[in-house]
Amino acid sequence: MVRKANVIFVSMLLASVILPQALVVARDNPMPGGWTHSRSPTPEDLAVWDKVITKVNSDLVSMGQPVKVSTQVVSGIKYNFIFSNGDQVSVYSVPWEQKLEVSEVKKSTK
């Protein structure tokens, strides 16, 4: 009976140490092929946005600069640019094929 109690205690102790660490790793490292968490745009992200408004759709310049972005690596890179008013623009980029297109524009309902 003592041995079984020790096994349970050690199992619970390990679970209390390992599980929180696993959750942190899962939170900070999205599944391969999955979307990243929204974050502040990097200079590289903003360079993609600048190309969108200068070469693909100049009407989007009125949205200003994105305040958040999330990305997904597929057969290129998908960007979800988020603006201060809640509007979102989805962009698909395949730089090695010089492909850049706006997939969707979502207006905020705020």
Side-chain angles (χ1 to χ4, degrees), residues 41-107:
T42 64
E44 291 81 12
D45 299 325
L46 294 174
V48 170
W49 177 248
D50 288 342
K51 286 181 185 176
V52 167
I53 60 176
T54 58
K55 297 182 179 183
V56 179
N57 188 339
S58 61
D59 293 339
L60 297 174
V61 74
S62 63
M63 299 182 87
Q65 291 289 306
V67 295
K68 295 281 183 188
V69 66
S70 57
T71 58
Q72 180 185 31
V73 176
V74 288
S75 57
I77 303 172
K78 291 182 179 179
Y79 293 86
N80 186 44
F81 292 105
I82 304 166
F83 299 84
S84 59
N85 65 355
D87 289 353
Q88 297 181 35
V89 176
S90 297
V91 172
Y92 179 56
S93 172
V94 186
W96 55 91
E97 293 180 3
Q98 290 74 48
K99 182 176 186 175
L100 185 64
E101 60 187 39
V102 174
S103 316
E104 183 177 18
V105 177
K106 290 184 193 174
K107 293 290 186 177

